[in-house]
Amino acid sequence: MRFALLLFILIPVVELSVLIKVGSQIGSLTTIALVFLTAIIGITLIRRQGFETHRSAQEKMRRGELPASEMAEGVMLAFAGVCLLIPGFVTDAIGALLLISPLRKAVAAKVSLDFLRSRMNMRAAWSTRDSQGHYTREDIIEGEYRSETEKKDHIEKK
């Protein structure tokens, strides 16, 4: 929570200082035009790459595979879109890095692999944690199973 608050305060300060420096070098109108241009180009690229990621995820689902890396890429593209819409050059640089397809694919594959690995190592669903955080097992109730078709075989026809 404190980290988010720090970022919420720090990012605008950094963006403003960079915008002031760039504006003093190339002029304020040119700086504003560059901010709008990066937003327009970035959103166009995100739409195109988002459609490609969506198509790839659908293809994996048709084959019966889990589109984990495509989902991670989609989240990264959404974050890149937010970064490109925030006025400033620092967030534009972060968004532009996320638009580099090989870099994004590598990060998404790593994130999805780590996520799947952590999910596979989870304890069984009937394991719970006690008040100290240790895993405990609840009572297992045993029972018998009887098919409903057995009852239908004994019905007499009149």
Side-chain angles (χ1 to χ4, degrees):
M1 184 69 176
R2 290 181 183 168
F3 182 70
L5 180 63
L6 181 66
L7 283 179
F8 189 70
I9 294 170
L10 191 63
I11 288 176
V13 170
V14 170
E15 288 291 0
L16 280 173
S17 65
V18 170
L19 282 171
I20 291 170
K21 285 276 193 192
V22 171
S24 68
Q25 295 293 319
I26 63 173
S28 60
L29 290 177
T30 309
T31 304
I32 293 171
L34 276 175
V35 168
F36 280 112
L37 184 67
T38 57
I40 292 169
I41 291 172
I43 295 303
T44 305
L45 289 172
I46 286 173
R47 287 183 67 197
R48 183 175 301 139
Q49 291 182 6
F51 286 133
E52 290 174 10
T53 303
H54 180 68
R55 184 186 47 75
S56 176
Q58 283 183 333
E59 185 63 34
K60 273 193 169 181
M61 285 190 289
R62 272 192 219 109
R63 292 190 309 241
E65 298 174 11
L66 183 67
S69 63
E70 283 77 9
M71 291 171 61
E73 280 188 61
V75 169
M76 292 170 69
L77 282 171
F79 182 71
V82 169
C83 286
L84 288 167
L85 285 177
I86 295 172
F89 294 117
V90 176
T91 53
D92 286 349
I94 293 169
L97 282 175
L98 291 174
L99 288 178
I100 300 171
S101 188
L103 176 66
R104 187 182 65 247
K105 288 180 187 290
V107 171
K110 173 86 170 111
V111 167
S112 61
L113 183 64
D114 289 346
F115 177 77
L116 290 174
R117 188 176 294 136
S118 70
R119 293 293 143 207
M120 288 181 179
N121 289 334
M122 288 182 69
R123 302 223 181 231
W126 55 83
S127 296
T128 57
R129 292 184 186 211
D130 61 11
S131 60
Q132 285 90 22
H134 299 101
Y135 283 101
T136 60
R137 290 181 60 112
E138 294 180 5
D139 294 335
I140 297 175
I141 302 172
E142 293 187 24
E144 293 183 15
Y145 168 78
R146 183 178 65 198
S147 174
E148 291 294 319
T149 57
E150 293 175 9
K151 291 181 183 178
K152 293 179 184 175
D153 291 341
H154 299 294
I155 297 177
E156 296 178 16
K157 293 183 180 180
K158 292 186 181 182

